[in-house]
Structure formats: C-alpha cells, structure tokens
Amino acid sequence: MPVRAFITGLAGTSLTPGERSFLRSAEPWGLILFKRNISDKIQVSELINEIKMVMGRSEVPILVDQEGGRVQRLAPPVWPQYPPGEAYGRLYDLNPKCGRAAARLGARLMASDLEPLGFTVDCLPLADLRIAGADPVIGDRAYGETPEKVAKLAQAIADGLLEGGILPVLKHLPGHGRASADSHERLPVVTADLATLERTDFAAFRPLAALPMGMTAHVVFSAVDPVSPATTSFKMIHQVIRGFIGFHGLLMSDDISMGALSGSLGERAGAAIAAGCDIVLHC
C-alpha cells in the first residue's frame, strides 16, 4: 500500500462522507486534530478509531498540538490546563534540576492524556528562543532566551512524551523566535547575520538533532537564502537543518495553508518536498 507524503486535517468531530472517500483514495501518511475535532474523550477516541478503520491501517499517525498555555487542543474542563513553556523556564532559573524535572513530568502527564485516546504524535517541544522585540506568536511558548536552557528543557519534554508512548516533533526548525511577523498571517524575514544565528537560534536545536521528527519554520533567513522560507528552501534544509544543526529525522513542513507561503496548495506542497521536506502538513 503506498504511503503518501502528507498529513491532513478534518472539518469536525466526525468524518463526513467526503472525508471518508478522500482518506481511502488519497491515503495520507497521517492526520492532525484540532479543537474543532475534539469535544470529549469518548468522541475523540471514536473519531480516531473511525479514521483507522476507514484507512484500513491500525498504525495511522495521529498528531495534535498539545503544548500547554495558548496552544492546547485538548482543553478544560475535560482535560487539565497545562502551563505555557515559559513556566518551566522560570522554574529552571530558580533551580535547573527542578525545571527539567517539571518539564519532563508535564510532558509525561500530557502523554497520559493523549495515548489512551489513540494519539501517537505531539507537535512538541519547541526550541525557538524568546527574542526581545520579536513577534509574540512564540512569546510565552518559548522556554527561555538562551540556547543551552531551551535545549535542556526541550529535551526533558521530549523525554517525557517518549516515556508516555508519544512521539515528539521538534519545532520550528531552524528557529521561529526571532521572526518579526506571525507566519500564520504573513512571511517573516530574519535579517540577523549567520554568525549570530549559529550562536543563538540555530544553536538551540543542535543538542536535539537526534529527535525522531521535526517541523520547519515558514521564515526567511536572509543570511542563507534571501528569497525562500526554510520550508521551501533547499539551502536552508540541507545547509542548516540537515547540515549545521545535524537533524536527520523525519522532517515535516509547518502547515502549508498558512499566510507565509505563496502559490497554490499544490505548488506549496511541491516546493516543500523539492526543498527536502519528507512530509507536507496541511491543517
């Protein structure tokens, strides 16, 4: 059975007839669920089981963005409210060992929410730095301002997810924290020189290069490629993400329907695959 190189979203809390037909014919690699797809534990478990039945595969990757804070698709009152990433950073500043332990435990608890429902992948951790003056789209989602601190907390979170049977996705390679715009809306351009980026933004990802999955950033880094964002830039993926950072896991794009990218969805998907992404994400 061929496995297509894309992940798709769904419209609501159950499959429509059109979605059933699409899943059978297009055979996506996996699916990603959002708040619009989730109401309670029984419903989401039944939806995931239906997806697997329709696709005829028991091991369909089911993804979710469950970070805590502003980005939490499984939310109260059914599920606990988890803290944003910066909370672990504040604790780390008081006691690094306690900060790492809290981050690992928080991720382990999230995995215990996700795994029994049938989720297999959480789009976490972030290794984006919190940069003063940047767009707040990352903001309190970041664990801190220094590469060492961010990498250690990100690794702790990845470890917690893995302990709970959930695969982590490292994002947003090679760094979204310095971006001057929200890539959901428009294309950010980072003008920092390469030496600065390698010392800061890119450096946070290097200790995490062995993680199994990663997600690109829709961000232009003019010091490397002044035209294309990392998602569709051969130079960024091969020289920076695969090269300097050394990440060799499965690389997926961020959502290709975001405002940062241009062209038709087909053109965006083709550009991401041609640049070196293994999987295209369409939410």
Side-chain angles (χ1 to χ4, degrees), residues 129 131 134-135 175-181 189-192 196-197 200-201 221:
L129 300 184
I131 304 291
D135 186 273
H176 203 302
R178 195 179 293 273
S180 57
V189 177
V190 169
T191 58
T196 296
L197 292 168
T200 56
D201 305 56
F221 295 87

Side-chain angles (χ1 to χ4, degrees), residues 113-160:
D113 296 334
L114 298 173
E115 193 275 337
L117 301 174
F119 288 99
T120 54
V121 182
D122 189 359
C123 298
L124 194 70
L126 282 73
D128 306 309
L129 300 184
R130 188 162 193 173
I131 304 291
D135 186 273
V137 64
I138 297 300
D140 65 358
R141 298 165 66 192
Y143 312 132
E145 302 79 18
T146 65
E148 180 183 16
K149 172 182 171 181
V150 166
K152 288 184 176 180
L153 287 171
Q155 184 65 62
I157 286 171
D159 290 343

Side-chain angles (χ1 to χ4, degrees), residues 244-269:
F244 179 80
I245 291 171
F247 178 80
H248 292 292
L250 183 147
L251 185 65
M252 70 178 69
S253 74
D254 204 343
D255 179 12
I256 62 166
S257 66
M258 288 162 62
L261 301 185
S262 59
S264 69
L265 289 177
E267 290 168 341
R268 297 176 187 200

Side-chain angles (χ1 to χ4, degrees), residues 69-93:
R70 289 179 286 136
V71 181
Q72 184 169 328
R73 314 308 188 195
L74 282 70
V78 180
W79 292 277
Q81 177 64 54
Y82 290 96
E86 73 170 8
Y88 300 122
R90 290 197 300 267
L91 185 54
Y92 182 95
D93 291 339

